[in-house]
Amino acid sequence: MNKYDILKKSREENKNGDERERLIRKGIAIPTLIAMGVIGVILMLLETVYLETELLGNSLFVLFAVATAVQQWYMLLVVKQKFYIFSGILCTINSIIGIRNLIDTFVSMM
């Protein structure tokens, strides 16, 4: 076999994606669910103490922002691509903004 036949065969085998990336994407669900669960429990407890609808809206934003940040940092640790540094920083900043808005909501309620 020449190199063109080998490359063609390799492309056909990998047309559905890289096996390593599929395993990584399956493994990312566990840290994300753990982060969402911990943040969700904390936010549910806060919601039962302070019954405020604005609090719920900010809480959901923080929940998804933190989960996305955890996904990006996990992908950076496993895949080690520079894109995940950039997206991880952006998602972390987004999470911090959401947490700040949540704190502002608490302060305005008091």
Side-chain angles (χ1 to χ4, degrees):
M1 287 182 122
N2 61 19
K3 68 179 181 178
Y4 297 110
D5 293 333
I6 295 171
L7 287 173
K8 183 179 175 183
K9 184 178 178 183
S10 175
R11 284 189 196 109
E12 288 175 8
E13 289 175 355
N14 291 326
K15 67 180 176 183
N16 294 330
D18 187 20
E19 182 69 25
R20 180 175 180 258
E21 279 190 30
R22 278 189 272 154
L23 290 174
I24 290 170
R25 298 220 185 266
K26 284 181 184 179
I28 201 169
I30 294 171
T32 303
L33 289 175
I34 291 171
M36 287 180 74
V38 168
I39 298 294
V41 166
I42 292 170
L43 295 175
M44 282 190 306
L45 291 173
L46 292 174
E47 186 69 26
T48 57
V49 173
Y50 303 101
L51 296 175
E52 185 73 31
T53 57
E54 186 179 338
L55 182 66
L56 180 62
N58 288 336
S59 299
L60 291 175
F61 175 77
V62 169
L63 178 69
F64 291 116
V66 169
T68 306
V70 168
Q71 284 180 337
Q72 298 306 310
W73 290 113
Y74 178 82
M75 289 298 288
L76 173 67
L77 291 174
V78 175
V79 179
K80 295 180 177 57
Q81 292 180 353
K82 291 180 183 179
F83 168 76
Y84 293 111
I85 294 173
F86 177 71
S87 62
I89 291 170
L90 286 179
C91 291
T92 303
I93 291 171
N94 197 16
S95 299
I96 292 169
I97 290 170
I99 291 169
R100 188 184 57 83
N101 289 341
L102 193 62
I103 291 171
D104 288 341
T105 304
F106 276 123
V107 170
S108 69
M109 288 171 35
M110 304 219 174

